[in-house]
PDB file of all heavy atoms in Angstrom:
ATOM      1  N   GLY A  83      15.175  13.787   3.327  1.00 93.00           N
ATOM      2  CA  GLY A  83      14.130  13.487   4.230  1.00 93.00           C
ATOM      3  C   GLY A  83      13.512  12.094   4.015  1.00 93.00           C
ATOM      4  O   GLY A  83      13.750  11.501   2.951  1.00 93.00           O
ATOM      5  N   GLY A  84      12.868  11.583   4.968  1.00 96.00           N
ATOM      6  CA  GLY A  84      12.228  10.270   4.837  1.00 96.00           C
ATOM      7  C   GLY A  84      13.166   9.223   5.464  1.00 96.00           C
ATOM      8  O   GLY A  84      14.306   9.498   5.774  1.00 96.00           O
ATOM      9  N   ARG A  85      12.585   8.032   5.625  1.00 98.00           N
ATOM     10  CA  ARG A  85      13.363   6.943   6.218  1.00 98.00           C
ATOM     11  C   ARG A  85      12.817   5.633   5.814  1.00 98.00           C
ATOM     12  O   ARG A  85      11.651   5.436   5.477  1.00 98.00           O
ATOM     13  CB  ARG A  85      13.426   7.110   7.731  1.00 98.00           C
ATOM     14  CG  ARG A  85      12.031   7.185   8.431  1.00 98.00           C
ATOM     15  CD  ARG A  85      11.483   5.828   8.702  1.00 98.00           C
ATOM     16  NE  ARG A  85      10.223   5.851   9.501  1.00 98.00           N
ATOM     17  CZ  ARG A  85       9.343   4.902   9.548  1.00 98.00           C
ATOM     18  NH1 ARG A  85       9.498   3.889   8.729  1.00 98.00           N
ATOM     19  NH2 ARG A  85       8.310   4.972  10.308  1.00 98.00           N
ATOM     20  N   LEU A  86      13.718   4.595   5.890  1.00 98.00           N
ATOM     21  CA  LEU A  86      13.372   3.177   5.690  1.00 98.00           C
ATOM     22  C   LEU A  86      13.512   2.563   7.040  1.00 98.00           C
ATOM     23  O   LEU A  86      14.517   2.631   7.704  1.00 98.00           O
ATOM     24  CB  LEU A  86      14.281   2.538   4.701  1.00 98.00           C
ATOM     25  CG  LEU A  86      14.233   0.985   4.599  1.00 98.00           C
ATOM     26  CD1 LEU A  86      12.902   0.506   4.091  1.00 98.00           C
ATOM     27  CD2 LEU A  86      15.374   0.467   3.733  1.00 98.00           C
ATOM     28  N   ARG A  87      12.439   1.827   7.426  1.00 98.00           N
ATOM     29  CA  ARG A  87      12.405   1.147   8.741  1.00 98.00           C
ATOM     30  C   ARG A  87      12.040  -0.285   8.513  1.00 98.00           C
ATOM     31  O   ARG A  87      11.064  -0.627   7.861  1.00 98.00           O
ATOM     32  CB  ARG A  87      11.421   1.841   9.732  1.00 98.00           C
ATOM     33  CG  ARG A  87      11.399   1.175  11.106  1.00 98.00           C
ATOM     34  CD  ARG A  87      10.374   1.918  11.993  1.00 98.00           C
ATOM     35  NE  ARG A  87      10.238   1.260  13.283  1.00 98.00           N
ATOM     36  CZ  ARG A  87      10.983   1.480  14.322  1.00 98.00           C
ATOM     37  NH1 ARG A  87      11.987   2.368  14.261  1.00 98.00           N
ATOM     38  NH2 ARG A  87      10.801   0.842  15.503  1.00 98.00           N
ATOM     39  N   ILE A  88      12.860  -1.188   9.094  1.00 98.00           N
ATOM     40  CA  ILE A  88      12.537  -2.646   9.068  1.00 98.00           C
ATOM     41  C   ILE A  88      12.479  -3.115  10.511  1.00 98.00           C
ATOM     42  O   ILE A  88      13.385  -2.833  11.320  1.00 98.00           O
ATOM     43  CB  ILE A  88      13.654  -3.436   8.305  1.00 98.00           C
ATOM     44  CG1 ILE A  88      13.862  -2.810   6.927  1.00 98.00           C
ATOM     45  CG2 ILE A  88      13.257  -4.892   8.175  1.00 98.00           C
ATOM     46  CD1 ILE A  88      14.991  -3.437   6.170  1.00 98.00           C
ATOM     47  N   GLU A  89      11.435  -3.753  10.890  1.00 97.00           N
ATOM     48  CA  GLU A  89      11.224  -4.181  12.265  1.00 97.00           C
ATOM     49  C   GLU A  89      10.514  -5.521  12.377  1.00 97.00           C
ATOM     50  O   GLU A  89       9.850  -5.974  11.413  1.00 97.00           O
ATOM     51  CB  GLU A  89      10.412  -3.111  13.030  1.00 97.00           C
ATOM     52  CG  GLU A  89       9.018  -2.853  12.436  1.00 97.00           C
ATOM     53  CD  GLU A  89       8.400  -1.658  13.076  1.00 97.00           C
ATOM     54  OE1 GLU A  89       8.613  -1.396  14.247  1.00 97.00           O
ATOM     55  OE2 GLU A  89       7.586  -0.956  12.386  1.00 97.00           O
ATOM     56  N   THR A  90      10.624  -6.126  13.561  1.00 97.00           N
ATOM     57  CA  THR A  90       9.950  -7.367  13.878  1.00 97.00           C
ATOM     58  C   THR A  90       9.167  -7.172  15.134  1.00 97.00           C
ATOM     59  O   THR A  90       9.556  -6.481  16.025  1.00 97.00           O
ATOM     60  CB  THR A  90      10.915  -8.520  13.984  1.00 97.00           C
ATOM     61  OG1 THR A  90      10.177  -9.734  14.279  1.00 97.00           O
ATOM     62  CG2 THR A  90      11.917  -8.258  15.103  1.00 97.00           C
ATOM     63  N   GLY A  91       7.936  -7.784  15.171  1.00 94.00           N
ATOM     64  CA  GLY A  91       7.120  -7.649  16.368  1.00 94.00           C
ATOM     65  C   GLY A  91       5.694  -8.116  16.043  1.00 94.00           C
ATOM     66  O   GLY A  91       5.215  -7.987  14.945  1.00 94.00           O
ATOM     67  N   LYS A  92       5.039  -8.634  17.077  1.00 93.00           N
ATOM     68  CA  LYS A  92       3.655  -9.109  17.002  1.00 93.00           C
ATOM     69  C   LYS A  92       3.443 -10.098  15.838  1.00 93.00           C
ATOM     70  O   LYS A  92       2.451 -10.112  15.116  1.00 93.00           O
ATOM     71  CB  LYS A  92       2.697  -7.880  16.771  1.00 93.00           C
ATOM     72  CG  LYS A  92       2.723  -6.921  17.962  1.00 93.00           C
ATOM     73  CD  LYS A  92       1.744  -5.780  17.709  1.00 93.00           C
ATOM     74  CE  LYS A  92       1.756  -4.821  18.876  1.00 93.00           C
ATOM     75  NZ  LYS A  92       0.812  -3.674  18.674  1.00 93.00           N
ATOM     76  N   GLY A  93       4.452 -10.952  15.663  1.00 95.00           N
ATOM     77  CA  GLY A  93       4.349 -11.990  14.684  1.00 95.00           C
ATOM     78  C   GLY A  93       4.524 -11.547  13.272  1.00 95.00           C
ATOM     79  O   GLY A  93       4.077 -12.229  12.300  1.00 95.00           O
ATOM     80  N   ARG A  94       5.080 -10.378  13.036  1.00 97.00           N
ATOM     81  CA  ARG A  94       5.257  -9.820  11.659  1.00 97.00           C
ATOM     82  C   ARG A  94       6.669  -9.332  11.464  1.00 97.00           C
ATOM     83  O   ARG A  94       7.337  -8.874  12.407  1.00 97.00           O
ATOM     84  CB  ARG A  94       4.285  -8.644  11.428  1.00 97.00           C
ATOM     85  CG  ARG A  94       2.824  -8.899  11.727  1.00 97.00           C
ATOM     86  CD  ARG A  94       2.161  -9.792  10.709  1.00 97.00           C
ATOM     87  NE  ARG A  94       2.207  -9.278   9.382  1.00 97.00           N
ATOM     88  CZ  ARG A  94       1.656  -9.948   8.344  1.00 97.00           C
ATOM     89  NH1 ARG A  94       1.073 -11.154   8.529  1.00 97.00           N
ATOM     90  NH2 ARG A  94       1.698  -9.502   7.112  1.00 97.00           N
ATOM     91  N   LEU A  95       7.103  -9.356  10.201  1.00 97.00           N
ATOM     92  CA  LEU A  95       8.347  -8.684   9.790  1.00 97.00           C
ATOM     93  C   LEU A  95       7.838  -7.573   8.847  1.00 97.00           C
ATOM     94  O   LEU A  95       7.082  -7.808   7.872  1.00 97.00           O
ATOM     95  CB  LEU A  95       9.244  -9.623   8.983  1.00 97.00           C
ATOM     96  CG  LEU A  95      10.460 -10.228   9.737  1.00 97.00           C
ATOM     97  CD1 LEU A  95      11.132 -11.223   8.820  1.00 97.00           C
ATOM     98  CD2 LEU A  95      11.425  -9.159  10.185  1.00 97.00           C
ATOM     99  N   THR A  96       8.155  -6.330   9.130  1.00 97.00           N
ATOM    100  CA  THR A  96       7.617  -5.216   8.399  1.00 97.00           C
ATOM    101  C   THR A  96       8.683  -4.307   7.911  1.00 97.00           C
ATOM    102  O   THR A  96       9.631  -3.913   8.637  1.00 97.00           O
ATOM    103  CB  THR A  96       6.631  -4.413   9.297  1.00 97.00           C
ATOM    104  OG1 THR A  96       5.642  -5.310   9.758  1.00 97.00           O
ATOM    105  CG2 THR A  96       5.978  -3.243   8.507  1.00 97.00           C
ATOM    106  N   ALA A  97       8.580  -3.851   6.650  1.00 98.00           N
ATOM    107  CA  ALA A  97       9.491  -2.852   6.117  1.00 98.00           C
ATOM    108  C   ALA A  97       8.614  -1.667   5.660  1.00 98.00           C
ATOM    109  O   ALA A  97       7.678  -1.821   4.903  1.00 98.00           O
ATOM    110  CB  ALA A  97      10.272  -3.375   4.916  1.00 98.00           C
ATOM    111  N   SER A  98       8.887  -0.505   6.153  1.00 98.00           N
ATOM    112  CA  SER A  98       8.141   0.672   5.773  1.00 98.00           C
ATOM    113  C   SER A  98       9.012   1.851   5.362  1.00 98.00           C
ATOM    114  O   SER A  98      10.145   1.970   5.822  1.00 98.00           O
ATOM    115  CB  SER A  98       7.293   1.114   7.002  1.00 98.00           C
ATOM    116  OG  SER A  98       8.068   1.437   8.125  1.00 98.00           O
ATOM    117  N   VAL A  99       8.500   2.639   4.457  1.00 98.00           N
ATOM    118  CA  VAL A  99       9.172   3.836   3.974  1.00 98.00           C
ATOM    119  C   VAL A  99       8.197   5.032   4.308  1.00 98.00           C
ATOM    120  O   VAL A  99       6.984   4.922   4.026  1.00 98.00           O
ATOM    121  CB  VAL A  99       9.466   3.826   2.488  1.00 98.00           C
ATOM    122  CG1 VAL A  99      10.007   5.166   1.981  1.00 98.00           C
ATOM    123  CG2 VAL A  99      10.447   2.725   2.165  1.00 98.00           C
TER     124      VAL A  99
END
Side-chain angles (χ1 to χ4, degrees):
R85 54 85 172 156
L86 167 66
R87 180 181 176 86
I88 307 174
E89 60 187 328
T90 180
K92 298 181 179 180
R94 308 288 300 179
L95 262 174
T96 303
S98 59
V99 173

